[in-house]
Amino acid sequence: MTTDQTDISDVGAKPDNHVKIFDTTLRDGEQAPGFSMSTDAKLIVARALAALNVDIIEAGFAAASPGDAAAISAVATEITGPTICSLSRLNDKDIEASARALEPARHKRIHTFIGTSPTHRDAKLKMTKDEIIERIGRLVAFAVPLCDEVEFSPEDAIRTERDYLIEAVNTAIEAGATTINIPDTVGYTTPEEIVDLFRFLKENAKGAEKVTFSTHCHDDLGMAVANSLAAVRGGARQIECAINGIGERAGNCSLEEAVMAIKTRRDFFNLETQIETEKIYPASLALARVTHNPIPRNKAIVGKNAFAHESGIHQHGVLADKRTYEIMDAESVGMPANSIVLGKHSGKHAVRARAEALGFKISPQKVEDIFPDFKKLADTTREVTDAQLVKLITGNSAVDGRMGPWRMRRSDLHIDMEEGTKPYARVTLEHDSGEQHTVTHEGIGPIDAAFAAVCAITDVAGRIKTIDLHHEAEEGVVRADAVVTVDGRDYSGKGKEVDIADAAVAAFVAAINQAAAIRAVGEANYSNEAAAS
């Protein structure tokens, strides 16, 4: 037990309307196939969670492997804000492994569990009810002096008989548990059922006033967030969740969705979290990058489409007052301001607004003139880019997909295995004038070097923001989608090549081309205005 435990409990006191956010991205989230993380990756996510100001970080399962224990210890050493937690089965060896891994943490929590439902008792544990109750009392008490807080979970609580669930909960509270977590381990419950269950537990558990009741919901039936929010209505004051909703099978309750529901509907829930919501999108993006699992485009709160509009009716409303179709500000979760996506569903108001944002003084008649060509172009591509719109406005429209003066002719990427030799790339681009330019450039890696060579040739300083690569097995090609930042504005580019590196470079060139095309129009406009004056 730490020497300042009394101070910790004083500092940790919260009003009854405070809902603790227990993040399990690094434990339950990482257990999902395809989301395994190295220690370095876990530290990146842990830093993002600390910036979010989550209450508890469940950093892993110490007894699962030496690597997991090391990762917990690394997080416990570096992260000083949130309580750091390790999961343990209800046995002395697991609990001791958690205590060792958590030793560097300022605030330590051991989260221990055992199955209580008939299925778990009979099929998995082969234990009687009385044997499980005895183990809960003995081993929760064993964990108490090894940490600052003990959390107990009756696994598969939702499918456990209520009279037996109460007995298990009472035993854990009496043994010293400070948090009682009620997991919907298999995503089976409904909002109506779980709100009633938590009210039942709050009213009937002995010592309920001394503990925090917690909810842990899985998304097998798509109700993890709804069930978690129902649980807090029933009296839960901790939500166990994960960034982007990752976790076993269909995932856990999504942190960003639960938090923003409580914030946006404060009038309904009358609850608060301490989450710095402006850090939500950066945390989501950090997880996507370290696990190489992109955020789904239609993901609530953090998906690319969450604050984007293509429908002409919606665009007209948002341009007049974004409250017509947005209940949150994109900035409130750390995303760029609302995005008007020009496509086949867009109307004239959106076309004119985007043109004016690009610096054009465009009349209503001009919009009428270019709108048929805009629709024709929109039918051939999912999104109309800024560069394509510029060509329409200036009378140089094209439907061939390539915008800007440059096309890629060759890219050669090299890594020399000799120590001290940096990776480099040789890139050849051809200008519309017919001239070819070749540059060799070093970089952190060969693709980074190729990007630097493209910038040197085009004289456009671009910084890669995101790049997604997808292998199309049937076509035998790699498709790349890149977002490149130039002068504070984001440009998107696409590439399709047989080689993964060539696809990445082609997408980067396409994005740089857009920036070059718009820069050229801006310079022409400036020259015309200067001549007129």
Side-chain angles (χ1 to χ4, degrees):
M1 182 74 74
T2 59
T3 57
D4 60 344
Q5 186 179 6
T6 302
D7 293 336
I8 289 171
S9 62
D10 289 342
V11 171
K14 299 286 186 181
D16 189 54
N17 70 335
H18 173 78
V19 177
K20 296 178 183 178
I21 297 300
F22 176 112
D23 184 272
T24 187
T25 304
L26 302 181
R27 200 278 299 170
D28 199 329
E30 194 213 13
Q31 289 177 193
F35 286 91
S36 182
M37 289 175 258
S38 66
T39 296
D40 287 343
K42 281 195 169 188
L43 282 169
I44 290 170
V45 176
R47 293 179 195 119
L49 293 172
L52 265 176
N53 205 28
V54 301
D55 298 87
I56 303 101
I57 296 175
E58 189 169 49
F61 190 165
S65 72
D68 225 32
I72 294 169
S73 184
V75 171
T77 299
E78 179 174 331
I79 305 301
T80 57
T83 295
I84 308 301
C85 176
S86 172
L87 185 71
S88 306
R89 289 165 297 192
L90 198 60
N91 65 61
D92 51 3
K93 291 183 179 180
D94 273 27
I95 291 168
E96 288 171 342
S98 286
R100 287 193 298 272
L102 291 169
E103 191 171 343
R106 184 179 177 190
H107 305 306
K108 310 172 181 66
R109 177 182 293 193
I110 292 175
H111 177 193
T112 191
F113 71 96
I114 192 169
T116 54
S117 71
T119 303
H120 280 244
R121 295 194 307 260
D122 300 338
K124 188 177 78 169
L125 299 173
K126 311 293 186 185
M127 293 175 67
T128 67
K129 288 182 175 181
D130 289 342
E131 287 172 333
I132 292 171
I133 293 297
E134 185 278 330
R135 180 173 288 192
I136 292 170
R138 176 168 52 86
L139 289 167
V140 168
F142 174 73
V144 167
L146 301 178
C147 57
D148 301 305
E149 308 166 5
V150 173
E151 176 172 335
F152 170 70
S153 290
E155 189 180 12
D156 204 20
I158 297 299
R159 297 191 294 174
T160 300
E161 310 94 327
R162 284 199 176 186
D163 59 343
Y164 186 58
L165 182 60
I166 276 288
E167 186 179 359
V169 167
N170 287 344
T171 302
I173 294 173
E174 186 178 358
T178 53
T179 298
I180 300 297
N181 180 52
I182 305 299
D184 183 13
T185 304
V186 292
Y188 182 73
T189 195
T190 67
E192 292 81 4
E193 288 175 326
I194 201 168
V195 71
D196 181 67
L197 176 60
F198 272 88
R199 286 171 179 163
F200 170 80
L201 292 170
K202 291 277 287 184
E203 291 170 4
N204 293 281
K206 295 177 182 178
E209 72 284 353
K210 298 187 296 185
V211 299
T212 298
F213 280 94
S214 169
T215 180
H216 179 115
C217 296
H218 281 265
D219 208 35
D220 297 72
L221 294 176
M223 293 190 286
V225 174
N227 287 333
S228 298
L229 294 172
V232 298
R233 290 178 59 211
R237 287 298 178 265
Q238 176 176 289
I239 295 176
E240 303 202 354
C241 46
I243 296 292
N244 296 346
I246 69 170
E248 290 276 10
R249 303 180 311 281
N252 288 289
C253 171
S254 162
L255 180 150
E256 57 275 9
E257 294 175 28
V259 166
M260 291 310 294
I262 289 172
K263 179 177 180 177
T264 305
R265 294 306 312 277
R266 189 180 289 112
D267 61 317
F268 177 77
F269 291 105
N270 192 30
L271 297 169
E272 304 279 352
T273 72
Q274 65 182 27
I275 296 298
E276 299 286 345
T277 62
E278 296 81 2
K279 304 295 178 60
I280 284 177
Y281 182 64
S284 173
L285 200 58
L287 176 66
R289 286 175 175 170
V290 301
T291 61
H292 308 292
N293 281 280
I295 305 166
R297 189 177 182 120
N298 66 329
K299 174 73 175 66
I301 313 298
V302 292
K304 186 176 180 180
N305 286 359
F307 298 93
H309 307 272
E310 184 183 326
S311 163
I313 295 172
H314 283 225
Q315 289 176 337
H316 187 190
V318 168
L319 289 168
D321 186 335
K322 62 183 179 181
R323 291 174 298 177
T324 54
Y325 289 105
E326 291 184 7
I327 60 172
M328 300 169 280
D329 290 330
E331 297 89 342
S332 71
V333 297
M335 290 189 76
N338 74 80
S339 172
I340 299 296
V341 177
L342 295 183
K344 66 179 183 179
H345 301 106
S346 299
K348 296 169 187 174
H349 289 92
V351 171
R352 183 173 185 180
R354 177 64 67 82
E356 289 176 347
L358 292 172
F360 290 94
K361 295 178 181 179
I362 185 168
S363 67
Q365 185 57 51
K366 181 65 173 178
V367 175
E368 293 286 346
D369 292 343
I370 68 170
F371 199 65
D373 287 336
F374 167 81
K375 283 290 190 179
K376 186 185 299 183
L377 176 60
D379 276 334
T380 67
T381 181
R382 284 187 294 183
E383 295 179 17
V384 176
T385 67
D386 287 347
Q388 289 170 320
L389 182 59
V390 166
K391 289 203 169 190
L392 286 173
I393 295 169
T394 58
N396 185 20
S397 61
V399 188
D400 63 0
R402 186 180 67 82
M403 299 294 153
W406 299 98
R407 60 173 62 86
M408 189 175 76
R409 286 305 184 201
R410 184 180 178 86
S411 65
D412 297 308
L413 281 62
H414 298 272
I415 300 178
D416 197 323
M417 300 307 293
E418 291 185 14
E419 187 175 350
T421 303
K422 290 185 177 181
Y424 67 95
R426 181 180 295 108
V427 175
T428 300
L429 302 183
E430 183 177 338
H431 193 268
D432 280 345
S433 64
E435 295 181 0
Q436 289 194 358
H437 300 262
T438 301
V439 164
T440 300
H441 209 291
E442 293 181 339
I444 298 172
I447 294 180
D448 175 69
F451 293 165
V454 170
C455 293
I457 293 171
T458 61
D459 196 28
V460 176
R463 179 176 56 84
I464 190 72
K465 186 174 183 180
T466 63
I467 187 162
D468 295 321
L469 300 164
H470 304 277
H471 178 236
E472 302 287 350
E474 292 184 2
E475 296 183 42
V477 297
V478 176
R479 295 182 185 274
D481 293 278
V483 177
V484 179
T485 302
V486 178
D487 298 331
R489 180 191 289 270
D490 288 345
Y491 298 89
S492 59
K494 301 179 184 296
K496 183 176 72 171
E497 301 288 342
V498 173
D499 180 75
I500 188 170
D502 287 342
V505 177
F508 188 84
V509 170
I512 290 292
N513 246 341
Q514 287 193 40
I518 290 176
R519 178 180 289 181
V521 170
E523 291 171 352
N525 286 344
Y526 177 81
S527 299
N528 291 338
E529 289 174 6
S533 62

